[in-house]
mmCIF file of all heavy atoms in Angstrom:
data_model
loop_
_atom_site.group_PDB
_atom_site.id
_atom_site.type_symbol
_atom_site.label_atom_id
_atom_site.label_comp_id
_atom_site.label_asym_id
_atom_site.label_seq_id
_atom_site.Cartn_x
_atom_site.Cartn_y
_atom_site.Cartn_z
ATOM 1 N N ASN S 1 96.733 128.155 87.897
ATOM 2 C CA ASN S 1 96.856 129.570 87.580
ATOM 3 C C ASN S 1 98.322 129.926 87.357
ATOM 4 O O ASN S 1 99.219 129.164 87.717
ATOM 5 C CB ASN S 1 96.281 130.409 88.725
ATOM 6 C CG ASN S 1 94.825 130.104 88.997
ATOM 7 O OD1 ASN S 1 94.039 129.863 88.088
ATOM 8 N ND2 ASN S 1 94.458 130.110 90.273
ATOM 9 N N SER S 2 98.532 131.103 86.793
ATOM 10 C CA SER S 2 99.903 131.595 86.570
ATOM 11 C C SER S 2 100.762 130.518 85.907
ATOM 12 O O SER S 2 101.888 130.256 86.342
ATOM 13 C CB SER S 2 100.528 132.043 87.894
ATOM 14 O OG SER S 2 99.751 133.049 88.500
ATOM 15 N N LEU S 3 100.237 129.936 84.871
ATOM 16 C CA LEU S 3 100.930 128.826 84.218
ATOM 17 C C LEU S 3 102.233 129.281 83.573
ATOM 18 O O LEU S 3 102.349 130.417 83.086
ATOM 19 C CB LEU S 3 100.013 128.179 83.184
ATOM 20 C CG LEU S 3 98.946 127.268 83.777
ATOM 21 C CD1 LEU S 3 97.834 126.990 82.787
ATOM 22 C CD2 LEU S 3 99.556 125.953 84.253
ATOM 23 N N LYS S 4 103.194 128.383 83.589
ATOM 24 C CA LYS S 4 104.518 128.642 83.038
ATOM 25 C C LYS S 4 104.812 127.632 81.928
ATOM 26 O O LYS S 4 104.252 126.521 81.933
ATOM 27 C CB LYS S 4 105.570 128.497 84.132
ATOM 28 C CG LYS S 4 105.341 129.364 85.351
ATOM 29 C CD LYS S 4 106.375 129.067 86.423
ATOM 30 C CE LYS S 4 106.152 129.900 87.669
ATOM 31 N NZ LYS S 4 107.162 129.610 88.719
ATOM 32 N N PRO S 5 105.703 127.957 81.018
ATOM 33 C CA PRO S 5 106.056 126.985 79.966
ATOM 34 C C PRO S 5 106.526 125.653 80.539
ATOM 35 O O PRO S 5 106.265 124.599 79.934
ATOM 36 C CB PRO S 5 107.166 127.707 79.201
ATOM 37 C CG PRO S 5 106.847 129.152 79.366
ATOM 38 C CD PRO S 5 106.317 129.270 80.767
ATOM 39 N N GLU S 6 107.173 125.680 81.685
ATOM 40 C CA GLU S 6 107.660 124.427 82.282
ATOM 41 C C GLU S 6 106.532 123.568 82.853
ATOM 42 O O GLU S 6 106.780 122.441 83.286
ATOM 43 C CB GLU S 6 108.709 124.708 83.362
ATOM 44 C CG GLU S 6 108.310 125.724 84.394
ATOM 45 C CD GLU S 6 108.857 127.117 84.080
ATOM 46 O OE1 GLU S 6 108.769 127.545 82.890
ATOM 47 O OE2 GLU S 6 109.338 127.782 85.017
ATOM 48 N N ASP S 7 105.312 124.075 82.841
ATOM 49 C CA ASP S 7 104.163 123.266 83.241
ATOM 50 C C ASP S 7 103.663 122.401 82.085
ATOM 51 O O ASP S 7 102.759 121.574 82.278
ATOM 52 C CB ASP S 7 103.016 124.158 83.725
ATOM 53 C CG ASP S 7 103.353 124.899 85.011
ATOM 54 O OD1 ASP S 7 103.966 124.290 85.910
ATOM 55 O OD2 ASP S 7 102.992 126.087 85.116
ATOM 56 N N THR S 8 104.206 122.590 80.919
ATOM 57 C CA THR S 8 103.793 121.812 79.763
ATOM 58 C C THR S 8 104.066 120.327 79.979
ATOM 59 O O THR S 8 105.191 119.937 80.295
ATOM 60 C CB THR S 8 104.532 122.297 78.504
ATOM 61 O OG1 THR S 8 104.131 123.644 78.216
ATOM 62 C CG2 THR S 8 104.223 121.416 77.305
ATOM 63 N N ALA S 9 103.023 119.518 79.830
ATOM 64 C CA ALA S 9 103.132 118.077 80.074
ATOM 65 C C ALA S 9 101.790 117.428 79.798
ATOM 66 O O ALA S 9 100.779 118.118 79.616
ATOM 67 C CB ALA S 9 103.549 117.799 81.512
ATOM 68 N N VAL S 10 101.795 116.113 79.807
ATOM 69 C CA VAL S 10 100.540 115.370 79.861
ATOM 70 C C VAL S 10 100.197 115.195 81.340
ATOM 71 O O VAL S 10 101.039 114.751 82.122
ATOM 72 C CB VAL S 10 100.655 114.007 79.172
ATOM 73 C CG1 VAL S 10 99.338 113.230 79.308
ATOM 74 C CG2 VAL S 10 101.021 114.178 77.698
ATOM 75 N N TYR S 11 98.985 115.562 81.689
ATOM 76 C CA TYR S 11 98.537 115.492 83.076
ATOM 77 C C TYR S 11 97.638 114.275 83.251
ATOM 78 O O TYR S 11 96.684 114.078 82.478
ATOM 79 C CB TYR S 11 97.803 116.771 83.460
ATOM 80 C CG TYR S 11 98.740 117.917 83.726
ATOM 81 C CD1 TYR S 11 99.461 118.503 82.678
ATOM 82 C CD2 TYR S 11 98.947 118.401 85.015
ATOM 83 C CE1 TYR S 11 100.353 119.545 82.919
ATOM 84 C CE2 TYR S 11 99.825 119.434 85.266
ATOM 85 C CZ TYR S 11 100.530 120.003 84.217
ATOM 86 O OH TYR S 11 101.412 121.025 84.455
ATOM 87 N N TYR S 12 97.951 113.502 84.288
ATOM 88 C CA TYR S 12 97.224 112.281 84.571
ATOM 89 C C TYR S 12 96.539 112.370 85.926
ATOM 90 O O TYR S 12 97.134 112.836 86.904
ATOM 91 C CB TYR S 12 98.170 111.085 84.592
ATOM 92 C CG TYR S 12 98.852 110.790 83.290
ATOM 93 C CD1 TYR S 12 100.097 111.333 83.004
ATOM 94 C CD2 TYR S 12 98.252 109.961 82.345
ATOM 95 C CE1 TYR S 12 100.731 111.066 81.796
ATOM 96 C CE2 TYR S 12 98.877 109.677 81.143
ATOM 97 C CZ TYR S 12 100.112 110.236 80.878
ATOM 98 O OH TYR S 12 100.737 109.963 79.690
ATOM 99 N N CYS S 13 95.337 111.852 85.970
ATOM 100 C CA CYS S 13 94.594 111.691 87.210
ATOM 101 C C CYS S 13 94.817 110.269 87.714
ATOM 102 O O CYS S 13 94.894 109.324 86.902
ATOM 103 C CB CYS S 13 93.119 111.948 86.930
ATOM 104 S SG CYS S 13 92.010 111.605 88.290
ATOM 105 N N ALA S 14 94.904 110.114 89.024
ATOM 106 C CA ALA S 14 95.124 108.793 89.600
ATOM 107 C C ALA S 14 94.333 108.650 90.895
ATOM 108 O O ALA S 14 94.079 109.643 91.581
ATOM 109 C CB ALA S 14 96.603 108.571 89.872
ATOM 110 N N ALA S 15 93.985 107.426 91.213
ATOM 111 C CA ALA S 15 93.260 107.140 92.459
ATOM 112 C C ALA S 15 93.902 105.937 93.138
ATOM 113 O O ALA S 15 94.330 104.990 92.474
ATOM 114 C CB ALA S 15 91.798 106.855 92.169
ATOM 115 N N GLY S 16 93.957 105.994 94.452
ATOM 116 C CA GLY S 16 94.554 104.884 95.180
ATOM 117 C C GLY S 16 94.061 104.804 96.601
ATOM 118 O O GLY S 16 93.676 105.814 97.189
ATOM 119 N N SER S 17 94.103 103.603 97.150
ATOM 120 C CA SER S 17 93.686 103.374 98.531
ATOM 121 C C SER S 17 94.871 103.670 99.454
ATOM 122 O O SER S 17 95.507 102.765 99.988
ATOM 123 C CB SER S 17 93.205 101.936 98.698
ATOM 124 O OG SER S 17 92.130 101.655 97.829
ATOM 125 N N ILE S 18 95.146 104.938 99.615
ATOM 126 C CA ILE S 18 96.278 105.400 100.432
ATOM 127 C C ILE S 18 95.697 106.204 101.578
ATOM 128 O O ILE S 18 95.048 107.221 101.368
ATOM 129 C CB ILE S 18 97.225 106.293 99.625
ATOM 130 C CG1 ILE S 18 97.620 105.618 98.311
ATOM 131 C CG2 ILE S 18 98.465 106.628 100.442
ATOM 132 C CD1 ILE S 18 98.343 106.533 97.355
ATOM 133 N N TYR S 19 95.914 105.726 102.790
ATOM 134 C CA TYR S 19 95.313 106.377 103.947
ATOM 135 C C TYR S 19 96.381 106.807 104.936
ATOM 136 O O TYR S 19 97.129 106.001 105.468
ATOM 137 C CB TYR S 19 94.328 105.437 104.635
ATOM 138 C CG TYR S 19 93.271 104.899 103.703
ATOM 139 C CD1 TYR S 19 93.219 103.552 103.381
ATOM 140 C CD2 TYR S 19 92.337 105.752 103.117
ATOM 141 C CE1 TYR S 19 92.259 103.071 102.510
ATOM 142 C CE2 TYR S 19 91.378 105.266 102.254
ATOM 143 C CZ TYR S 19 91.344 103.920 101.946
ATOM 144 O OH TYR S 19 90.398 103.445 101.081
ATOM 145 N N ARG S 20 96.448 108.106 105.154
ATOM 146 C CA ARG S 20 97.296 108.660 106.205
ATOM 147 C C ARG S 20 98.747 108.206 106.073
ATOM 148 O O ARG S 20 99.384 107.867 107.060
ATOM 149 C CB ARG S 20 96.730 108.325 107.586
ATOM 150 C CG ARG S 20 95.354 108.921 107.783
ATOM 151 C CD ARG S 20 94.735 108.543 109.100
ATOM 152 N NE ARG S 20 93.390 109.124 109.217
ATOM 153 C CZ ARG S 20 92.554 108.896 110.200
ATOM 154 N NH1 ARG S 20 92.912 108.098 111.182
ATOM 155 N NH2 ARG S 20 91.355 109.457 110.217
ATOM 156 N N ARG S 21 99.213 108.217 104.822
ATOM 157 C CA ARG S 21 100.608 107.911 104.544
ATOM 158 C C ARG S 21 101.166 109.004 103.641
ATOM 159 O O ARG S 21 101.325 108.837 102.436
ATOM 160 C CB ARG S 21 100.755 106.535 103.870
ATOM 161 C CG ARG S 21 100.462 105.364 104.757
ATOM 162 C CD ARG S 21 101.411 105.304 105.965
ATOM 163 N NE ARG S 21 102.807 105.249 105.582
ATOM 164 C CZ ARG S 21 103.497 104.116 105.460
ATOM 165 N NH1 ARG S 21 102.911 102.955 105.684
ATOM 166 N NH2 ARG S 21 104.763 104.141 105.124
ATOM 167 N N PRO S 22 101.489 110.147 104.217
ATOM 168 C CA PRO S 22 101.999 111.257 103.401
ATOM 169 C C PRO S 22 103.220 110.884 102.578
ATOM 170 O O PRO S 22 103.458 111.472 101.523
ATOM 171 C CB PRO S 22 102.335 112.320 104.450
ATOM 172 C CG PRO S 22 101.441 112.010 105.610
ATOM 173 C CD PRO S 22 101.314 110.533 105.617
ATOM 174 N N ASP S 23 103.966 109.898 103.044
ATOM 175 C CA ASP S 23 105.154 109.486 102.294
ATOM 176 C C ASP S 23 104.789 108.723 101.034
ATOM 177 O O ASP S 23 105.645 108.534 100.153
ATOM 178 C CB ASP S 23 106.077 108.649 103.177
ATOM 179 C CG ASP S 23 105.358 107.494 103.847
ATOM 180 O OD1 ASP S 23 104.167 107.650 104.187
ATOM 181 O OD2 ASP S 23 105.986 106.437 104.062
ATOM 182 N N TYR S 24 103.545 108.301 100.892
ATOM 183 C CA TYR S 24 103.112 107.569 99.708
ATOM 184 C C TYR S 24 102.457 108.469 98.659
ATOM 185 O O TYR S 24 102.380 108.098 97.490
ATOM 186 C CB TYR S 24 102.095 106.495 100.091
ATOM 187 C CG TYR S 24 102.659 105.274 100.770
ATOM 188 C CD1 TYR S 24 104.000 105.168 101.086
ATOM 189 C CD2 TYR S 24 101.822 104.211 101.110
ATOM 190 C CE1 TYR S 24 104.503 104.037 101.721
ATOM 191 C CE2 TYR S 24 102.312 103.078 101.721
ATOM 192 C CZ TYR S 24 103.649 102.991 102.030
ATOM 193 O OH TYR S 24 104.133 101.873 102.657
ATOM 194 N N TYR S 25 101.973 109.630 99.061
ATOM 195 C CA TYR S 25 101.117 110.413 98.165
ATOM 196 C C TYR S 25 101.813 110.814 96.879
ATOM 197 O O TYR S 25 101.183 110.901 95.836
ATOM 198 C CB TYR S 25 100.589 111.660 98.872
ATOM 199 C CG TYR S 25 99.711 111.367 100.064
ATOM 200 C CD1 TYR S 25 99.677 112.237 101.152
ATOM 201 C CD2 TYR S 25 98.905 110.240 100.113
ATOM 202 C CE1 TYR S 25 98.870 111.980 102.256
ATOM 203 C CE2 TYR S 25 98.099 109.973 101.207
ATOM 204 C CZ TYR S 25 98.094 110.846 102.275
ATOM 205 O OH TYR S 25 97.298 110.593 103.359
ATOM 206 N N SER S 26 103.077 111.075 96.927
ATOM 207 C CA SER S 26 103.796 111.546 95.742
ATOM 208 C C SER S 26 104.424 110.413 94.935
ATOM 209 O O SER S 26 105.070 110.671 93.920
ATOM 210 C CB SER S 26 104.876 112.543 96.146
ATOM 211 O OG SER S 26 105.814 111.921 97.003
ATOM 212 N N ASP S 27 104.208 109.184 95.365
ATOM 213 C CA ASP S 27 104.785 108.011 94.705
ATOM 214 C C ASP S 27 103.741 107.424 93.752
ATOM 215 O O ASP S 27 102.767 106.812 94.203
ATOM 216 C CB ASP S 27 105.192 106.990 95.747
ATOM 217 C CG ASP S 27 105.845 105.755 95.145
ATOM 218 O OD1 ASP S 27 105.900 105.641 93.897
ATOM 219 O OD2 ASP S 27 106.315 104.902 95.919
ATOM 220 N N TYR S 28 103.953 107.570 92.473
ATOM 221 C CA TYR S 28 102.931 107.137 91.516
ATOM 222 C C TYR S 28 102.732 105.623 91.529
ATOM 223 O O TYR S 28 101.690 105.134 91.092
ATOM 224 C CB TYR S 28 103.213 107.653 90.110
ATOM 225 C CG TYR S 28 104.424 107.076 89.409
ATOM 226 C CD1 TYR S 28 104.355 105.874 88.714
ATOM 227 C CD2 TYR S 28 105.632 107.757 89.420
ATOM 228 C CE1 TYR S 28 105.452 105.360 88.057
ATOM 229 C CE2 TYR S 28 106.745 107.249 88.767
ATOM 230 C CZ TYR S 28 106.650 106.048 88.087
ATOM 231 O OH TYR S 28 107.748 105.535 87.434
ATOM 232 N N HIS S 29 103.694 104.867 92.037
ATOM 233 C CA HIS S 29 103.530 103.412 92.121
ATOM 234 C C HIS S 29 102.428 103.015 93.098
ATOM 235 O O HIS S 29 101.927 101.881 93.060
ATOM 236 C CB HIS S 29 104.834 102.753 92.551
ATOM 237 C CG HIS S 29 105.962 102.962 91.597
ATOM 238 N ND1 HIS S 29 106.905 103.949 91.764
ATOM 239 C CD2 HIS S 29 106.289 102.308 90.456
ATOM 240 C CE1 HIS S 29 107.781 103.885 90.772
ATOM 241 N NE2 HIS S 29 107.438 102.912 89.963
ATOM 242 N N ARG S 30 102.041 103.919 93.993
ATOM 243 C CA ARG S 30 101.077 103.600 95.040
ATOM 244 C C ARG S 30 99.629 103.729 94.565
ATOM 245 O O ARG S 30 98.721 103.378 95.302
ATOM 246 C CB ARG S 30 101.286 104.533 96.226
ATOM 247 C CG ARG S 30 102.670 104.405 96.863
ATOM 248 C CD ARG S 30 102.832 103.094 97.562
ATOM 249 N NE ARG S 30 104.142 102.942 98.188
ATOM 250 C CZ ARG S 30 104.534 101.880 98.887
ATOM 251 N NH1 ARG S 30 103.689 100.873 99.050
ATOM 252 N NH2 ARG S 30 105.734 101.841 99.407
ATOM 253 N N TYR S 31 99.456 104.224 93.365
ATOM 254 C CA TYR S 31 98.106 104.458 92.869
ATOM 255 C C TYR S 31 97.633 103.284 92.018
ATOM 256 O O TYR S 31 98.408 102.681 91.274
ATOM 257 C CB TYR S 31 98.064 105.765 92.070
ATOM 258 C CG TYR S 31 98.234 106.978 92.952
ATOM 259 C CD1 TYR S 31 99.489 107.353 93.427
ATOM 260 C CD2 TYR S 31 97.135 107.738 93.333
ATOM 261 C CE1 TYR S 31 99.638 108.458 94.260
ATOM 262 C CE2 TYR S 31 97.278 108.842 94.158
ATOM 263 C CZ TYR S 31 98.533 109.192 94.615
ATOM 264 O OH TYR S 31 98.684 110.279 95.434
ATOM 265 N N ASP S 32 96.326 102.992 92.147
ATOM 266 C CA ASP S 32 95.775 101.798 91.522
ATOM 267 C C ASP S 32 95.116 102.066 90.174
ATOM 268 O O ASP S 32 95.084 101.174 89.309
ATOM 269 C CB ASP S 32 94.721 101.179 92.452
ATOM 270 C CG ASP S 32 95.273 100.910 93.835
ATOM 271 O OD1 ASP S 32 96.295 100.193 93.927
ATOM 272 O OD2 ASP S 32 94.694 101.399 94.826
ATOM 273 N N TYR S 33 94.578 103.259 90.006
ATOM 274 C CA TYR S 33 93.817 103.565 88.798
ATOM 275 C C TYR S 33 94.348 104.842 88.168
ATOM 276 O O TYR S 33 94.721 105.791 88.877
ATOM 277 C CB TYR S 33 92.331 103.744 89.125
ATOM 278 C CG TYR S 33 91.719 102.567 89.823
ATOM 279 C CD1 TYR S 33 91.490 102.581 91.198
ATOM 280 C CD2 TYR S 33 91.355 101.419 89.113
ATOM 281 C CE1 TYR S 33 90.929 101.501 91.846
ATOM 282 C CE2 TYR S 33 90.789 100.324 89.756
ATOM 283 C CZ TYR S 33 90.592 100.385 91.112
ATOM 284 O OH TYR S 33 90.029 99.298 91.755
ATOM 285 N N TRP S 34 94.353 104.850 86.847
ATOM 286 C CA TRP S 34 94.890 105.995 86.098
ATOM 287 C C TRP S 34 93.969 106.359 84.943
ATOM 288 O O TRP S 34 93.339 105.487 84.333
ATOM 289 C CB TRP S 34 96.270 105.665 85.525
ATOM 290 C CG TRP S 34 97.320 105.562 86.577
ATOM 291 C CD1 TRP S 34 97.642 104.466 87.327
ATOM 292 C CD2 TRP S 34 98.174 106.617 87.029
ATOM 293 N NE1 TRP S 34 98.637 104.767 88.211
ATOM 294 C CE2 TRP S 34 98.997 106.078 88.051
ATOM 295 C CE3 TRP S 34 98.335 107.952 86.673
ATOM 296 C CZ2 TRP S 34 99.957 106.837 88.714
ATOM 297 C CZ3 TRP S 34 99.281 108.708 87.331
ATOM 298 C CH2 TRP S 34 100.089 108.154 88.339
ATOM 299 N N GLY S 35 93.948 107.649 84.649
ATOM 300 C CA GLY S 35 93.258 108.110 83.457
ATOM 301 C C GLY S 35 94.202 108.054 82.259
ATOM 302 O O GLY S 35 95.373 107.680 82.379
ATOM 303 N N GLN S 36 93.679 108.461 81.119
ATOM 304 C CA GLN S 36 94.454 108.367 79.876
ATOM 305 C C GLN S 36 95.352 109.589 79.673
ATOM 306 O O GLN S 36 96.238 109.572 78.816
ATOM 307 C CB GLN S 36 93.515 108.209 78.680
ATOM 308 C CG GLN S 36 92.889 109.502 78.157
ATOM 309 C CD GLN S 36 91.845 110.086 79.094
ATOM 310 O OE1 GLN S 36 91.394 109.454 80.049
ATOM 311 N NE2 GLN S 36 91.438 111.319 78.810
ATOM 312 N N GLY S 37 95.111 110.637 80.442
ATOM 313 C CA GLY S 37 95.941 111.833 80.353
ATOM 314 C C GLY S 37 95.320 112.904 79.485
ATOM 315 O O GLY S 37 94.545 112.635 78.571
ATOM 316 N N THR S 38 95.666 114.154 79.788
ATOM 317 C CA THR S 38 95.237 115.298 78.990
ATOM 318 C C THR S 38 96.431 116.232 78.817
ATOM 319 O O THR S 38 97.167 116.496 79.767
ATOM 320 C CB THR S 38 94.031 116.008 79.644
ATOM 321 O OG1 THR S 38 93.550 117.039 78.783
ATOM 322 C CG2 THR S 38 94.383 116.620 80.998
ATOM 323 N N GLN S 39 96.619 116.705 77.598
ATOM 324 C CA GLN S 39 97.790 117.519 77.271
ATOM 325 C C GLN S 39 97.574 118.961 77.709
ATOM 326 O O GLN S 39 96.543 119.571 77.390
ATOM 327 C CB GLN S 39 98.063 117.484 75.773
ATOM 328 C CG GLN S 39 99.209 118.373 75.312
ATOM 329 C CD GLN S 39 100.568 117.863 75.762
ATOM 330 O OE1 GLN S 39 100.869 116.675 75.630
ATOM 331 N NE2 GLN S 39 101.398 118.758 76.286
ATOM 332 N N VAL S 40 98.564 119.499 78.395
ATOM 333 C CA VAL S 40 98.598 120.911 78.734
ATOM 334 C C VAL S 40 99.842 121.505 78.098
ATOM 335 O O VAL S 40 100.951 121.014 78.326
ATOM 336 C CB VAL S 40 98.625 121.128 80.260
ATOM 337 C CG1 VAL S 40 98.884 122.594 80.592
ATOM 338 C CG2 VAL S 40 97.316 120.660 80.886
ATOM 339 N N THR S 41 99.663 122.531 77.291
ATOM 340 C CA THR S 41 100.776 123.200 76.635
ATOM 341 C C THR S 41 100.720 124.686 76.974
ATOM 342 O O THR S 41 99.691 125.331 76.746
ATOM 343 C CB THR S 41 100.726 123.012 75.113
ATOM 344 O OG1 THR S 41 100.716 121.613 74.800
ATOM 345 C CG2 THR S 41 101.938 123.660 74.451
ATOM 346 N N VAL S 42 101.817 125.180 77.523
ATOM 347 C CA VAL S 42 101.890 126.585 77.903
ATOM 348 C C VAL S 42 102.922 127.261 77.013
ATOM 349 O O VAL S 42 104.096 126.890 77.019
ATOM 350 C CB VAL S 42 102.270 126.753 79.383
ATOM 351 C CG1 VAL S 42 102.244 128.227 79.772
ATOM 352 C CG2 VAL S 42 101.332 125.940 80.274
#
């Protein structure tokens, strides 16, 4: 909601076997599976 022009990007979904490691959640290297992406333009 309340989208801004700076939100413009390709958005990717990812899945990973990350359990109770908050320090890993924001690290894209920790994820095992990725989607192809969807473009969002604001």
Side-chain angles (χ1 to χ4, degrees):
N1 301 322
S2 302
L3 283 163
K4 304 175 181 180
E6 50 263 45
D7 294 319
T8 295
V10 177
Y11 283 69
Y12 297 92
C13 173
S17 301
I18 309 169
Y19 305 114
R20 298 177 181 175
R21 290 299 303 265
D23 52 326
Y24 285 3
Y25 297 149
S26 61
D27 182 355
Y28 68 84
H29 298 97
R30 299 291 180 179
Y31 290 78
D32 305 304
Y33 304 102
W34 290 86
Q36 81 289 348
T38 186
Q39 176 70 47
V40 171
T41 303
V42 184

